[in-house]
mmCIF file of all heavy atoms in Angstrom:
data_model
loop_
_atom_site.group_PDB
_atom_site.id
_atom_site.type_symbol
_atom_site.label_atom_id
_atom_site.label_comp_id
_atom_site.label_asym_id
_atom_site.label_seq_id
_atom_site.Cartn_x
_atom_site.Cartn_y
_atom_site.Cartn_z
ATOM 1 N N VAL A 176 -42.216 48.104 -19.488
ATOM 2 C CA VAL A 176 -42.002 47.421 -18.215
ATOM 3 C C VAL A 176 -41.781 48.461 -17.124
ATOM 4 O O VAL A 176 -40.947 49.362 -17.276
ATOM 5 C CB VAL A 176 -40.780 46.484 -18.280
ATOM 6 C CG1 VAL A 176 -40.669 45.668 -16.998
ATOM 7 C CG2 VAL A 176 -40.847 45.588 -19.498
ATOM 8 N N ALA A 177 -42.519 48.358 -16.041
ATOM 9 C CA ALA A 177 -42.317 49.213 -14.874
ATOM 10 C C ALA A 177 -41.337 48.511 -13.938
ATOM 11 O O ALA A 177 -41.572 47.387 -13.501
ATOM 12 C CB ALA A 177 -43.641 49.465 -14.161
ATOM 13 N N ILE A 178 -40.215 49.182 -13.658
ATOM 14 C CA ILE A 178 -39.123 48.570 -12.902
ATOM 15 C C ILE A 178 -38.791 49.432 -11.691
ATOM 16 O O ILE A 178 -38.706 50.667 -11.806
ATOM 17 C CB ILE A 178 -37.867 48.444 -13.797
ATOM 18 C CG1 ILE A 178 -38.227 47.715 -15.105
ATOM 19 C CG2 ILE A 178 -36.743 47.733 -13.075
ATOM 20 C CD1 ILE A 178 -37.101 47.741 -16.120
ATOM 21 N N PRO A 179 -38.595 48.836 -10.525
ATOM 22 C CA PRO A 179 -38.176 49.634 -9.371
ATOM 23 C C PRO A 179 -36.790 50.237 -9.611
ATOM 24 O O PRO A 179 -35.956 49.659 -10.313
ATOM 25 C CB PRO A 179 -38.134 48.612 -8.223
ATOM 26 C CG PRO A 179 -38.902 47.430 -8.712
ATOM 27 C CD PRO A 179 -38.755 47.407 -10.197
ATOM 28 N N ALA A 180 -36.550 51.402 -9.052
ATOM 29 C CA ALA A 180 -35.231 52.030 -9.152
ATOM 30 C C ALA A 180 -34.173 51.107 -8.540
ATOM 31 O O ALA A 180 -34.438 50.375 -7.595
ATOM 32 C CB ALA A 180 -35.249 53.377 -8.424
ATOM 33 N N ARG A 181 -32.994 51.124 -9.123
ATOM 34 C CA ARG A 181 -31.841 50.321 -8.681
ATOM 35 C C ARG A 181 -32.087 48.823 -8.841
ATOM 36 O O ARG A 181 -31.566 48.011 -8.085
ATOM 37 C CB ARG A 181 -31.460 50.662 -7.229
ATOM 38 C CG ARG A 181 -30.995 52.099 -7.045
ATOM 39 C CD ARG A 181 -30.637 52.397 -5.608
ATOM 40 N NE ARG A 181 -31.801 52.292 -4.727
ATOM 41 C CZ ARG A 181 -32.691 53.258 -4.576
ATOM 42 N NH1 ARG A 181 -32.573 54.398 -5.235
ATOM 43 N NH2 ARG A 181 -33.708 53.097 -3.770
ATOM 44 N N HIS A 182 -32.896 48.456 -9.830
ATOM 45 C CA HIS A 182 -33.146 47.049 -10.131
ATOM 46 C C HIS A 182 -32.102 46.550 -11.128
ATOM 47 O O HIS A 182 -31.662 47.303 -12.002
ATOM 48 C CB HIS A 182 -34.549 46.894 -10.726
ATOM 49 C CG HIS A 182 -35.034 45.476 -10.789
ATOM 50 N ND1 HIS A 182 -34.687 44.615 -11.812
ATOM 51 C CD2 HIS A 182 -35.854 44.772 -9.959
ATOM 52 C CE1 HIS A 182 -35.285 43.454 -11.612
ATOM 53 N NE2 HIS A 182 -35.993 43.515 -10.499
ATOM 54 N N PRO A 199 -40.726 38.339 -10.361
ATOM 55 C CA PRO A 199 -42.180 38.352 -10.112
ATOM 56 C C PRO A 199 -42.850 39.523 -10.835
ATOM 57 O O PRO A 199 -42.258 40.589 -11.015
ATOM 58 C CB PRO A 199 -42.280 38.509 -8.591
ATOM 59 C CG PRO A 199 -40.947 38.097 -8.061
ATOM 60 C CD PRO A 199 -39.940 38.448 -9.111
ATOM 61 N N LEU A 200 -44.103 39.313 -11.229
ATOM 62 C CA LEU A 200 -44.883 40.330 -11.938
ATOM 63 C C LEU A 200 -46.139 40.682 -11.143
ATOM 64 O O LEU A 200 -46.730 39.827 -10.486
ATOM 65 C CB LEU A 200 -45.302 39.819 -13.314
ATOM 66 C CG LEU A 200 -44.201 39.513 -14.329
ATOM 67 C CD1 LEU A 200 -44.813 38.886 -15.581
ATOM 68 C CD2 LEU A 200 -43.437 40.773 -14.689
ATOM 69 N N VAL A 201 -46.538 41.939 -11.232
ATOM 70 C CA VAL A 201 -47.854 42.355 -10.761
ATOM 71 C C VAL A 201 -48.650 42.748 -12.001
ATOM 72 O O VAL A 201 -48.228 43.594 -12.782
ATOM 73 C CB VAL A 201 -47.763 43.506 -9.733
ATOM 74 C CG1 VAL A 201 -46.982 44.683 -10.255
ATOM 75 C CG2 VAL A 201 -49.155 43.926 -9.296
ATOM 76 N N LEU A 202 -49.798 42.087 -12.211
ATOM 77 C CA LEU A 202 -50.598 42.260 -13.416
ATOM 78 C C LEU A 202 -52.032 42.615 -13.048
ATOM 79 O O LEU A 202 -52.417 42.588 -11.885
ATOM 80 C CB LEU A 202 -50.570 40.977 -14.256
ATOM 81 C CG LEU A 202 -49.188 40.498 -14.721
ATOM 82 C CD1 LEU A 202 -49.306 39.158 -15.450
ATOM 83 C CD2 LEU A 202 -48.525 41.542 -15.618
ATOM 84 N N GLU A 230 -48.991 39.134 -7.875
ATOM 85 C CA GLU A 230 -50.248 39.779 -7.461
ATOM 86 C C GLU A 230 -51.052 40.174 -8.685
ATOM 87 O O GLU A 230 -50.501 40.510 -9.736
ATOM 88 C CB GLU A 230 -49.935 41.031 -6.627
ATOM 89 C CG GLU A 230 -51.126 41.615 -5.903
ATOM 90 C CD GLU A 230 -51.631 40.719 -4.795
ATOM 91 O OE1 GLU A 230 -50.896 40.470 -3.830
ATOM 92 O OE2 GLU A 230 -52.782 40.256 -4.927
ATOM 93 N N VAL A 232 -54.028 42.939 -9.579
ATOM 94 C CA VAL A 232 -54.601 44.142 -8.972
ATOM 95 C C VAL A 232 -55.684 44.722 -9.871
ATOM 96 O O VAL A 232 -55.775 44.412 -11.056
ATOM 97 C CB VAL A 232 -53.510 45.201 -8.709
ATOM 98 C CG1 VAL A 232 -52.491 44.679 -7.710
ATOM 99 C CG2 VAL A 232 -52.814 45.606 -10.009
ATOM 100 N N PHE A 235 -54.177 50.507 -12.211
ATOM 101 C CA PHE A 235 -52.811 50.860 -12.578
ATOM 102 C C PHE A 235 -52.086 51.502 -11.398
ATOM 103 O O PHE A 235 -50.905 51.249 -11.171
ATOM 104 C CB PHE A 235 -52.842 51.814 -13.781
ATOM 105 C CG PHE A 235 -51.496 52.373 -14.152
ATOM 106 C CD1 PHE A 235 -50.581 51.609 -14.860
ATOM 107 C CD2 PHE A 235 -51.152 53.669 -13.802
ATOM 108 C CE1 PHE A 235 -49.333 52.123 -15.199
ATOM 109 C CE2 PHE A 235 -49.916 54.192 -14.144
ATOM 110 C CZ PHE A 235 -49.003 53.419 -14.850
ATOM 111 N N ASP A 236 -52.793 52.332 -10.634
ATOM 112 C CA ASP A 236 -52.158 53.010 -9.498
ATOM 113 C C ASP A 236 -51.620 52.016 -8.478
ATOM 114 O O ASP A 236 -50.508 52.183 -7.954
ATOM 115 C CB ASP A 236 -53.152 53.956 -8.824
ATOM 116 C CG ASP A 236 -53.442 55.198 -9.662
ATOM 117 O OD1 ASP A 236 -52.652 55.484 -10.578
ATOM 118 O OD2 ASP A 236 -54.464 55.856 -9.419
ATOM 119 N N LEU A 237 -52.392 50.972 -8.174
ATOM 120 C CA LEU A 237 -51.921 49.971 -7.218
ATOM 121 C C LEU A 237 -50.759 49.181 -7.805
ATOM 122 O O LEU A 237 -49.804 48.843 -7.080
ATOM 123 C CB LEU A 237 -53.063 49.032 -6.822
ATOM 124 C CG LEU A 237 -52.723 47.950 -5.799
ATOM 125 C CD1 LEU A 237 -52.096 48.549 -4.543
ATOM 126 C CD2 LEU A 237 -53.959 47.137 -5.440
ATOM 127 N N MET A 238 -50.808 48.891 -9.088
ATOM 128 C CA MET A 238 -49.693 48.200 -9.733
ATOM 129 C C MET A 238 -48.413 48.995 -9.553
ATOM 130 O O MET A 238 -47.362 48.464 -9.158
ATOM 131 C CB MET A 238 -49.972 48.011 -11.230
ATOM 132 C CG MET A 238 -48.816 47.358 -11.994
ATOM 133 S SD MET A 238 -49.055 47.358 -13.795
ATOM 134 C CE MET A 238 -50.428 46.223 -13.955
ATOM 135 N N MET A 239 -48.483 50.311 -9.804
ATOM 136 C CA MET A 239 -47.288 51.147 -9.695
ATOM 137 C C MET A 239 -46.823 51.283 -8.240
ATOM 138 O O MET A 239 -45.627 51.373 -7.975
ATOM 139 C CB MET A 239 -47.568 52.532 -10.287
ATOM 140 C CG MET A 239 -47.780 52.527 -11.790
ATOM 141 S SD MET A 239 -46.381 51.843 -12.744
ATOM 142 C CE MET A 239 -47.000 50.195 -13.131
ATOM 143 N N ALA A 240 -47.763 51.283 -7.300
ATOM 144 C CA ALA A 240 -47.375 51.349 -5.886
ATOM 145 C C ALA A 240 -46.570 50.123 -5.495
ATOM 146 O O ALA A 240 -45.559 50.219 -4.775
ATOM 147 C CB ALA A 240 -48.622 51.484 -5.010
ATOM 148 N N LEU A 241 -46.988 48.951 -5.961
ATOM 149 C CA LEU A 241 -46.272 47.719 -5.632
ATOM 150 C C LEU A 241 -44.914 47.670 -6.332
ATOM 151 O O LEU A 241 -43.940 47.174 -5.762
ATOM 152 C CB LEU A 241 -47.125 46.508 -6.027
ATOM 153 C CG LEU A 241 -48.420 46.332 -5.245
ATOM 154 C CD1 LEU A 241 -49.211 45.144 -5.771
ATOM 155 C CD2 LEU A 241 -48.130 46.154 -3.760
ATOM 156 N N VAL A 242 -44.864 48.169 -7.564
ATOM 157 C CA VAL A 242 -43.566 48.224 -8.251
ATOM 158 C C VAL A 242 -42.625 49.173 -7.521
ATOM 159 O O VAL A 242 -41.453 48.860 -7.289
ATOM 160 C CB VAL A 242 -43.753 48.673 -9.713
ATOM 161 C CG1 VAL A 242 -42.388 48.913 -10.376
ATOM 162 C CG2 VAL A 242 -44.528 47.626 -10.506
ATOM 163 N N SER A 243 -43.118 50.348 -7.142
ATOM 164 C CA SER A 243 -42.291 51.328 -6.437
ATOM 165 C C SER A 243 -41.746 50.767 -5.131
ATOM 166 O O SER A 243 -40.612 51.076 -4.728
ATOM 167 C CB SER A 243 -43.114 52.589 -6.160
ATOM 168 O OG SER A 243 -42.367 53.540 -5.439
ATOM 169 N N ALA A 244 -42.533 49.902 -4.479
ATOM 170 C CA ALA A 244 -42.103 49.296 -3.217
ATOM 171 C C ALA A 244 -41.133 48.144 -3.428
ATOM 172 O O ALA A 244 -40.658 47.546 -2.459
ATOM 173 C CB ALA A 244 -43.321 48.808 -2.439
ATOM 174 N N GLY A 245 -40.824 47.817 -4.708
ATOM 175 C CA GLY A 245 -39.907 46.722 -4.997
ATOM 176 C C GLY A 245 -40.550 45.362 -4.920
ATOM 177 O O GLY A 245 -39.863 44.337 -4.877
ATOM 178 N N PHE A 246 -41.882 45.322 -4.898
ATOM 179 C CA PHE A 246 -42.610 44.065 -4.748
ATOM 180 C C PHE A 246 -42.516 43.196 -5.987
ATOM 181 O O PHE A 246 -42.451 41.975 -5.908
ATOM 182 C CB PHE A 246 -44.069 44.396 -4.432
ATOM 183 C CG PHE A 246 -44.884 43.228 -3.973
ATOM 184 C CD1 PHE A 246 -44.727 42.719 -2.693
ATOM 185 C CD2 PHE A 246 -45.808 42.624 -4.808
ATOM 186 C CE1 PHE A 246 -45.482 41.647 -2.259
ATOM 187 C CE2 PHE A 246 -46.573 41.559 -4.383
ATOM 188 C CZ PHE A 246 -46.408 41.061 -3.107
ATOM 189 N N ALA A 247 -42.543 43.828 -7.193
ATOM 190 C CA ALA A 247 -42.557 43.087 -8.447
ATOM 191 C C ALA A 247 -42.363 44.051 -9.598
ATOM 192 O O ALA A 247 -42.260 45.274 -9.399
ATOM 193 C CB ALA A 247 -43.881 42.330 -8.607
ATOM 194 N N LEU A 248 -42.307 43.524 -10.818
ATOM 195 C CA LEU A 248 -42.313 44.324 -12.037
ATOM 196 C C LEU A 248 -43.750 44.452 -12.535
ATOM 197 O O LEU A 248 -44.607 43.624 -12.214
ATOM 198 C CB LEU A 248 -41.465 43.671 -13.130
ATOM 199 C CG LEU A 248 -40.016 43.298 -12.778
ATOM 200 C CD1 LEU A 248 -39.346 42.652 -13.992
ATOM 201 C CD2 LEU A 248 -39.237 44.522 -12.323
ATOM 202 N N GLY A 249 -44.017 45.496 -13.345
ATOM 203 C CA GLY A 249 -45.346 45.682 -13.916
ATOM 204 C C GLY A 249 -45.272 45.829 -15.421
ATOM 205 O O GLY A 249 -44.212 46.137 -15.974
ATOM 206 N N LEU A 250 -46.399 45.606 -16.096
ATOM 207 C CA LEU A 250 -46.502 45.780 -17.546
ATOM 208 C C LEU A 250 -47.681 46.695 -17.832
ATOM 209 O O LEU A 250 -48.801 46.429 -17.377
ATOM 210 C CB LEU A 250 -46.703 44.431 -18.248
ATOM 211 C CG LEU A 250 -45.525 43.448 -18.193
ATOM 212 C CD1 LEU A 250 -45.952 42.075 -18.718
ATOM 213 C CD2 LEU A 250 -44.349 43.977 -19.009
ATOM 214 N N ALA A 251 -47.439 47.779 -18.596
ATOM 215 C CA ALA A 251 -48.519 48.730 -18.891
ATOM 216 C C ALA A 251 -48.190 49.479 -20.172
ATOM 217 O O ALA A 251 -47.061 49.437 -20.674
ATOM 218 C CB ALA A 251 -48.709 49.702 -17.731
ATOM 219 N N PHE A 256 -47.730 55.737 -18.154
ATOM 220 C CA PHE A 256 -46.620 56.181 -17.311
ATOM 221 C C PHE A 256 -46.510 57.703 -17.276
ATOM 222 O O PHE A 256 -45.928 58.270 -16.351
ATOM 223 C CB PHE A 256 -45.309 55.568 -17.805
ATOM 224 C CG PHE A 256 -45.216 54.085 -17.563
ATOM 225 C CD1 PHE A 256 -45.451 53.191 -18.590
ATOM 226 C CD2 PHE A 256 -44.911 53.587 -16.316
ATOM 227 C CE1 PHE A 256 -45.384 51.822 -18.380
ATOM 228 C CE2 PHE A 256 -44.847 52.218 -16.087
ATOM 229 C CZ PHE A 256 -45.086 51.336 -17.123
ATOM 230 N N CYS A 259 -48.232 58.735 -14.177
ATOM 231 C CA CYS A 259 -47.891 57.984 -12.964
ATOM 232 C C CYS A 259 -47.370 58.931 -11.884
ATOM 233 O O CYS A 259 -46.456 59.729 -12.124
ATOM 234 C CB CYS A 259 -46.847 56.911 -13.293
ATOM 235 S SG CYS A 259 -46.335 55.950 -11.852
ATOM 236 N N GLU A 261 -46.238 57.786 -8.835
ATOM 237 C CA GLU A 261 -45.289 57.102 -7.955
ATOM 238 C C GLU A 261 -43.851 57.465 -8.322
ATOM 239 O O GLU A 261 -43.503 57.585 -9.499
ATOM 240 C CB GLU A 261 -45.464 55.595 -8.058
ATOM 241 C CG GLU A 261 -46.766 55.070 -7.472
ATOM 242 C CD GLU A 261 -46.822 55.163 -5.959
ATOM 243 O OE1 GLU A 261 -45.741 55.321 -5.338
ATOM 244 O OE2 GLU A 261 -47.920 55.086 -5.398
ATOM 245 N N THR A 262 -43.029 57.654 -7.310
ATOM 246 C CA THR A 262 -41.600 57.864 -7.522
ATOM 247 C C THR A 262 -40.894 56.510 -7.407
ATOM 248 O O THR A 262 -41.468 55.525 -6.964
ATOM 249 C CB THR A 262 -41.047 58.844 -6.490
ATOM 250 O OG1 THR A 262 -41.285 58.319 -5.166
ATOM 251 C CG2 THR A 262 -41.715 60.202 -6.619
ATOM 252 N N GLY A 263 -39.646 56.477 -7.806
ATOM 253 C CA GLY A 263 -38.875 55.245 -7.670
ATOM 254 C C GLY A 263 -39.223 54.208 -8.707
ATOM 255 O O GLY A 263 -38.992 53.010 -8.483
ATOM 256 N N ILE A 264 -39.787 54.628 -9.843
ATOM 257 C CA ILE A 264 -40.144 53.705 -10.916
ATOM 258 C C ILE A 264 -39.488 54.167 -12.212
ATOM 259 O O ILE A 264 -39.494 55.359 -12.533
ATOM 260 C CB ILE A 264 -41.668 53.633 -11.119
ATOM 261 C CG1 ILE A 264 -42.332 53.012 -9.895
ATOM 262 C CG2 ILE A 264 -42.029 52.833 -12.361
ATOM 263 C CD1 ILE A 264 -43.835 52.993 -9.980
ATOM 264 N N VAL A 265 -38.923 53.222 -12.958
ATOM 265 C CA VAL A 265 -38.368 53.505 -14.280
ATOM 266 C C VAL A 265 -39.148 52.682 -15.301
ATOM 267 O O VAL A 265 -39.360 51.483 -15.095
ATOM 268 C CB VAL A 265 -36.866 53.140 -14.350
ATOM 269 C CG1 VAL A 265 -36.314 53.437 -15.744
ATOM 270 C CG2 VAL A 265 -36.086 53.906 -13.283
ATOM 271 N N ALA A 266 -39.597 53.329 -16.363
ATOM 272 C CA ALA A 266 -40.319 52.630 -17.434
ATOM 273 C C ALA A 266 -39.362 52.376 -18.588
ATOM 274 O O ALA A 266 -38.737 53.298 -19.106
ATOM 275 C CB ALA A 266 -41.503 53.466 -17.908
#
Side-chain angles (χ1 to χ4, degrees):
V176 186
I178 307 171
R181 296 180 296 278
H182 193 277
L200 296 174
V201 54
L202 301 176
E230 192 68 63
V232 297
F235 173 78
D236 288 343
L237 181 54
M238 177 188 292
M239 292 302 102
L241 294 177
V242 172
S243 178
F246 192 75
L248 307 180
L250 293 170
F256 290 101
C259 179
E261 291 290 343
T262 59
I264 294 176
V265 180

